[in-house]
Amino acid sequence: MKQIGYYPGYSTLAQKDFWDDATRAVVLKRLEPPAPLRFFGPGEAERLEAVVNQILPQDDRPAERRIAIVPELDKRLYEHRGPGYRYADMPPDGEAYRMGLRAIEEIAQHLFGAEFLYLRNRERDQVLFTLHDGEPPAAKAIFARMSVKHFWLMLVNDVAEVYYAHPWAWDEIGFGGPAYPRGYMRLERGEPEPWEKPEQRYEWAAPEDSLSGECRPLPGSHL
Amino acid sequence: MKCYREEEAVDYCIVGVGSAGAVLLQRLARAGFKVVGLEAGPFWDTERDWVSDEAGSHQLYWTDLRITGGSDPIALGENNSGRGVGGGSVHWAAFVPRLHPSDFRTYTEDGVGCDWPISYKDLKPYYELIEREMPAAGPAWFTWGDPHGYPYGPHPMGGVGDTLVRGCTKLGIRVCAGGPVAILSGSRADRPHCIYRGFCIQGCKVGAKQSTLISHVPDAIAHGAEIRDRSMVARIHLGPNRRVNAVTYFDRDGREHVQRARAIIVCGYAIETPRLLFNSACPGFEQGLANSSGLLGHYLMVQAGNVVAGRFPDLVRLYKAPPAHAMTEEFYETDPKRDFARGFAVQTVGPLPIAFAKQMAKAKGAWGWGLREVMMDYNHWSTLGVLGEILPAYDNKIELAEEKDDFGLPVAHVTFSLHENDHKMIRFAVKKVEEILLAAGAKEVVEEQRYAHLVGAARMGTRPENSIVDGFCRTHDIANLFICDGSVFPTQGSANPGLTIQALAARTADYLNQQGEAIFTSSHVSREKPPVRRDLSPPVTFGSGVPRV
Ligand SMILES: Cc1cc2nc3c(=O)[nH]c(=O)nc-3n(C[C@H](O)[C@H](O)[C@H](O)COP(=O)(O)OP(=O)(O)OC[C@H]3O[C@@H](n4cnc5c(N)ncnc54)[C@H](O)[C@@H]3O)c2cc1C
Ligand code: SF4
């Protein structure tokens, strides 16, 4: 399978000998097999996995090159690690995740009369778009206790944080990765360093049976 | 490092060894006072503790719980405050513009905000001192506010700065390239120059970017200051005669200690400082220590930090060069042609992939395949930040929440809402940045609403009725209690606050030095301006980013 992204053959990990020890240890840890879950129960984990697959789909990546996301979310919630704040209209993060999963189930039932897990790709995206748009058609009781908008952004942010922390994701987007102690020497005009790759664009399209390929502004956006 | 006994009253106990706290510690130690700094976070070993990695850097920020509400709630944590020796200067981008002379008198000049009890002239010598102590790099001629030049030459341009300069030039907007930023463009003593790796916000392992950890802390220790890290101050004690005499703190193992001191300076920044004073309420100060005015916690400010991102047909590679490397202050002052007071600056920002993905989730509403696709274009985007002056408002405030932290101390509840002038300024500023990006050749422009830089909530002023501290950062209520950090700002201008915070600390230190023993023994409040002590700067900063204790 071809390497995903416009920088074929680019590998940040190929540069790991040029990184400092502390950084190398932190990044290489992300390649280790994920630890067992401690926060989410098996049923919850399966549903969260399905939701996360829509938020950050990886079907185009070879199976052995998919980035495990749920275990990292689980770890953060188990260890009570937060970003340093909680919105006044949100319950604690762990509780918010549990409530959010239940809400997604209720919306799936409301719209399609079936569990989220048994929905087709498009239907799953439809359910999630109701959260994105801030207009969930069900789970009123849950969203009376929790802001839809803040739940949605927490979910997308958390998932993005795990994915784009991974060196394979850096290869996909052409990010230089750790850069100490070597640094950069070509700063302007987007020129690659000798060890970076020039861009080779190709036509890219989201799978036809999905809806999330088309970006839609969040409610209340300005431009 | 020197070690004081707790029963022995030191001259000054400094709560929080961050941007301001470290400068005070260094100067007071050099002047011969016995000083102890208590810092909630760790004393960093920069080579071992810091990484060149976004997700691996969370420990640099204040990530204990805070509650944030209001109609425009602000994100805290990594967006706002640091924890550890060096405080916010560890993870700042290090843009170091000065405030403009007009910032100190917005009420007189524009009928908004309020006047400071001090003027630009009072701070100017300290701006000059701190710019050399950092030292700052920038153009030989910085044209806005009170024009001046910088000790180190400007930095080369990265892709983001290049778009700002191109766009501004097309539109005839004056723009400044390569600074002002507290990053070395050439080496100094054993601190190396910048290597343009773009990880400033994750802490500069190189030692090129100033943090007070490397610029002031080593000199403080060399002159007898003690820093106790992982020491969280829980309460300030009020003794007889309306004077404070000790603090209670928890050490790294959660054990409680009491450190006695003849005077106390709180430098915990705009949320933790009011929180500590609220938590120190006692008979005589039921609504918070030094809060006879009832204004503690009020007039909290952040700057509008809306990020406008533009997609370019050519590659930008925004992750190279320090995020802070070009700006314009052309729109800084009140312009009668606009329908709002005061103004804004435009600055480069260079989000790394995680920050950029989060930005796109908000700005474009991207998720799923859409997020994957926009991220594959990461290298085509340039990001410029508005830095706009939000006016002080009474209802933007900090209170105590019901929730408690690990030590059982109530956490802060922050309330923040924009007002009419703020909304108008932000809409105008975003539009202007959009024009700049389009002029530079962007084909698509999107905006993320966000905020930067906390200040206020323990404002300085002329009288006990209108403020918490006076022009020398002394609390009106308690003669030997000082607050010196970002929380004392009455207004904020459109300049990043860090330089002003460090300059205020240097000035406060001069005042304390001039007053000498009187601070510890007398309740007479002198308003005499101290002479500028140019002999208290650290000689050269040393340590290559790793202060060796
Ligand atoms: C991502 C980011 C980028 C920034 N970029 C810039 C920039 O480019 N230019 C600029 O000028 N500013 C910038 N800032 C803002 C700047 O970092 C802060 O304004 C500044 O550091 C605040 O200084 P301070 O001395 O008031 O507080 P801090 O430097 O935050 O120091 C406060 C210290 O007190 C400690 N503390 C708090 N409470 C207690 C307690 N109870 N007991 C013991 N210790 C305590 C904290 O752990 C902390 O170390 C940036 C901020 C962020 C988050
Ligand atoms: S870009 Fe320069 S100042 Fe910023 S972290 Fe890298 S070396 Fe340090």
Side-chain angles (χ1 to χ4, degrees):
Chain A
M1 200 186 259
K2 216 171 78 214
Q3 181 172 330
I4 309 294
Y6 308 134
Y7 306 90
Y10 176 55
S11 165
T12 42
L13 282 173
Q15 300 302 310
K16 68 178 189 299
D17 292 348
F18 298 91
W19 303 344
D20 65 279
D21 294 342
T23 304
R24 189 166 43 238
V26 161
V27 176
L28 293 186
K29 195 142 195 353
R30 296 183 188 136
L31 300 171
E32 289 173 9
L37 305 189
R38 290 173 295 177
F39 180 82
F40 293 109
E44 278 175 328
E46 197 184 3
R47 273 180 287 140
L48 181 60
E49 191 73 56
V51 170
V52 166
N53 277 339
Q54 303 303 117
I55 305 279
L56 209 303
Q58 304 187 51
D59 314 73
D60 56 341
R61 301 187 71 93
E64 72 286 359
R65 280 264 168 164
R66 291 195 189 143
I67 297 167
I69 292 175
V70 171
E72 283 300 316
L73 303 184
D74 182 273
K75 190 157 178 268
R76 139 160 142 70
L77 297 172
Y78 182 79
E79 291 170 359
H80 292 284
R81 264 189 294 114
Y85 60 97
R86 190 176 91 219
Y87 289 105
D89 53 14
M90 289 293 285
D93 292 356
E95 212 177 305
Y97 266 92
R98 296 217 152 100
M99 286 161 63
L101 283 176
R102 282 205 307 277
I104 288 168
E105 236 9 277
E106 284 183 38
I107 299 167
Q109 288 292 347
H110 176 89
L111 290 180
F112 302 107
E115 280 182 43
F116 188 81
L117 274 174
Y118 299 119
L119 300 186
R120 281 177 308 201
N121 207 5
R122 266 173 174 273
E123 294 166 342
R124 290 182 179 191
D125 281 352
Q126 248 171 293
V127 169
L128 294 177
F129 255 125
T130 69
L131 298 181
H132 172 278
D133 295 341
E135 290 176 347
K140 291 274 176 301
I142 289 176
F143 291 115
R145 290 177 48 218
M146 167 165 101
S147 150
V148 188
K149 173 178 151 193
H150 289 143
F151 172 68
W152 174 252
L153 283 174
M154 177 170 78
L155 183 62
V156 178
N157 282 347
D158 279 355
V159 169
E161 166 128 14
V162 180
Y163 188 82
Y164 291 104
H166 203 285
W168 296 339
W170 299 338
D171 299 344
E172 176 177 310
I173 66 175
F175 168 59
Y180 171 76
R182 179 168 56 186
Y184 299 122
M185 60 179 189
R186 295 175 178 172
L187 306 184
E188 275 183 280
R189 291 179 296 277
E191 277 182 32
E193 305 295 319
W195 45 272
E196 290 181 321
K197 294 273 185 276
E199 186 187 47
Q200 292 179 39
R201 294 187 77 82
Y202 56 86
E203 270 313 307
W204 188 96
E208 268 182 24
D209 67 340
S210 71
L211 296 175
S212 65
E214 195 82 29
C215 291
R216 198 194 285 174
L218 288 168
S221 299
H222 291 288
L223 277 184
Chain B
M1 183 157 61
K2 184 114 190 166
C3 243
Y4 291 99
R5 285 179 307 125
E6 289 176 347
E7 322 75 73
E8 177 190 358
V10 292
D11 294 327
Y12 286 99
C13 173
I14 293 176
V15 180
V17 187
S19 300
V23 172
L24 277 159
L25 201 68
Q26 180 267 337
R27 278 179 156 63
L28 293 173
R30 233 176 205 268
F33 290 104
K34 292 182 190 163
V35 279
V36 167
L38 298 176
E39 166 54 49
F43 198 123
W44 304 112
D45 174 333
T46 62
E47 191 58 38
R48 191 194 59 207
D49 298 339
W50 295 357
V51 289
S52 197
D53 181 75
E54 254 184 311
S57 297
H58 286 294
Q59 84 278 13
L60 301 184
Y61 310 113
W62 190 283
T63 52
D64 283 4
L65 181 66
R66 289 158 170 173
I67 313 292
T68 181
S71 52
D72 303 283
I74 49 185
L76 300 167
E78 67 175 12
N79 196 46
N80 272 312
S81 24
R83 178 197 202 112
V85 176
S89 69
V90 163
H91 60 65
W92 69 338
F95 260 127
V96 285
R98 300 178 186 179
L99 288 175
H100 288 197
S102 67
D103 285 318
F104 296 83
R105 17 189 296 120
T106 61
Y107 189 74
T108 303
E109 292 198 5
D110 302 311
V112 295
C114 74
D115 291 358
W116 292 47
I118 61 174
S119 72
Y120 175 82
K121 273 217 189 84
D122 292 320
L123 265 193
K124 179 171 174 159
Y126 298 98
Y127 279 144
E128 289 168 349
L129 272 174
I130 296 288
E131 279 165 2
R132 277 164 178 73
E133 291 173 24
M134 287 175 151
W141 181 251
F142 185 81
T143 185
W144 299 283
D146 175 28
H148 59 278
Y150 287 93
Y152 272 68
H155 287 272
M157 296 285 356
V160 179
D162 185 52
T163 59
L164 177 64
V165 171
R166 270 190 289 130
C168 285
T169 308
K170 273 248 172 71
L171 299 175
I173 298 167
R174 291 180 301 174
V175 60
C176 156
V181 64
I183 295 175
L184 291 174
S185 49
S187 40
R188 163 175 159 124
D190 64 354
R191 260 177 71 192
H193 57 76
C194 178
I195 60 169
Y196 303 100
R197 67 185 192 122
F199 279 91
C200 303
I201 287 172
Q202 286 68 34
C204 180
K205 283 191 87 147
V206 177
K209 186 188 74 169
Q210 187 244 9
S211 64
T212 54
L213 173 68
I214 61 172
S215 63
H216 288 78
V217 163
D219 193 57
I221 291 171
H223 286 83
E226 179 187 352
I227 296 176
R228 279 178 223 152
D229 68 338
R230 297 180 199 272
S231 297
M232 173 73 183
V233 176
R235 197 159 57 84
I236 298 170
H237 298 235
L238 186 70
N241 309 322
R242 267 165 94 93
R243 298 177 70 80
V244 290
N245 59 18
V247 300
T248 295
Y249 70 95
F250 293 101
D251 70 13
R252 62 185 65 202
D253 304 314
R255 273 194 307 257
E256 199 175 308
H257 299 258
V258 174
Q259 173 65 51
R260 303 192 352 97
R262 302 167 81 197
I264 293 168
I265 313 176
V266 184
C267 307
Y269 203 16
I271 293 181
E272 293 309 315
T273 287
R275 176 184 173 217
L276 174 60
L277 296 174
F278 282 131
N279 280 333
S280 304
C282 59
F285 288 105
E286 284 77 8
Q287 52 176 357
L289 200 59
N291 188 24
S292 67
S293 64
L295 293 176
L296 182 67
H298 291 278
Y299 300 106
L300 176 75
M301 289 169 276
V302 278
Q303 285 167 322
N306 298 50
V307 171
V308 187
R311 191 192 176 285
F312 288 79
D314 295 333
L315 290 169
V316 176
R317 291 193 190 260
L318 82 177
Y319 55 88
K320 295 187 187 183
H325 67 274
M327 58 147 56
T328 173
E329 290 189 352
E330 199 68 4
F331 309 98
Y332 195 105
E333 306 281 344
T334 298
D335 177 349
K337 292 199 286 291
R338 306 191 297 232
D339 64 345
F340 57 90
R342 307 304 298 161
F344 59 94
V346 183
Q347 303 183 334
T348 53
V349 282
L352 297 180
I354 294 171
F356 187 73
K358 292 179 181 179
Q359 252 156 30
M360 288 295 124
K362 275 177 83 184
K364 275 177 79 81
W367 63 279
W369 293 106
L371 182 62
R372 287 276 309 278
E373 182 180 23
V374 64
M375 288 304 292
M376 277 161 63
D377 272 349
Y378 174 63
N379 284 342
H380 284 269
W381 288 83
S382 174
T383 45
L384 300 178
V386 167
L387 197 66
E389 177 170 1
I390 290 175
L391 297 174
Y394 177 81
D395 54 351
N396 288 336
K397 62 182 179 207
I398 291 154
E399 298 158 300
L400 293 181
E402 301 274 304
E403 284 88 340
K404 305 224 165 74
D405 69 6
D406 291 347
F407 303 111
L409 305 169
V411 305
H413 185 126
V414 179
T415 304
F416 191 82
S417 308
L418 293 174
H419 295 78
E420 195 191 339
N421 194 78
D422 311 327
H423 281 294
K424 286 180 176 163
M425 178 273 294
I426 292 172
R427 285 331 332 140
F428 183 95
V430 167
K431 201 95 200 86
K432 194 49 85 182
V433 182
E434 191 190 342
E435 284 168 25
I436 292 171
L437 281 168
L438 291 173
K443 297 297 173 225
E444 179 192 354
V445 183
V446 295
E447 179 221 356
E448 185 213 3
Q449 177 158 10
R450 64 188 292 140
Y451 306 95
H453 309 142
L454 294 162
V455 288
R459 57 166 30 181
M460 63 160 64
T462 46
R463 284 173 293 116
E465 301 81 60
N466 66 17
S467 52
I468 307 296
V469 298
D470 69 13
F472 294 110
C473 296
R474 190 199 284 248
T475 60
H476 293 298
D477 292 349
I478 299 171
N480 68 340
L481 176 64
F482 291 75
I483 299 171
C484 187
D485 57 30
S487 63
V488 302
F489 283 35
T491 61
Q492 57 182 346
S494 302
N496 320 55
L499 171 72
T500 303
I501 290 170
Q502 293 183 38
L504 267 176
R507 180 171 183 269
T508 302
D510 276 2
Y511 175 77
L512 299 176
N513 282 330
Q514 181 214 30
Q515 294 295 309
E517 280 289 307
I519 298 286
F520 312 128
T521 54
S522 156
S523 288
H524 169 72
V525 172
S526 161
R527 294 276 156 76
E528 196 191 328
K529 283 185 190 168
V532 179
R533 294 279 301 266
R534 291 176 208 282
D535 57 333
L536 293 179
S537 299
V540 280
T541 45
F542 60 87
S544 298
V546 190
R548 291 176 186 94
V549 181

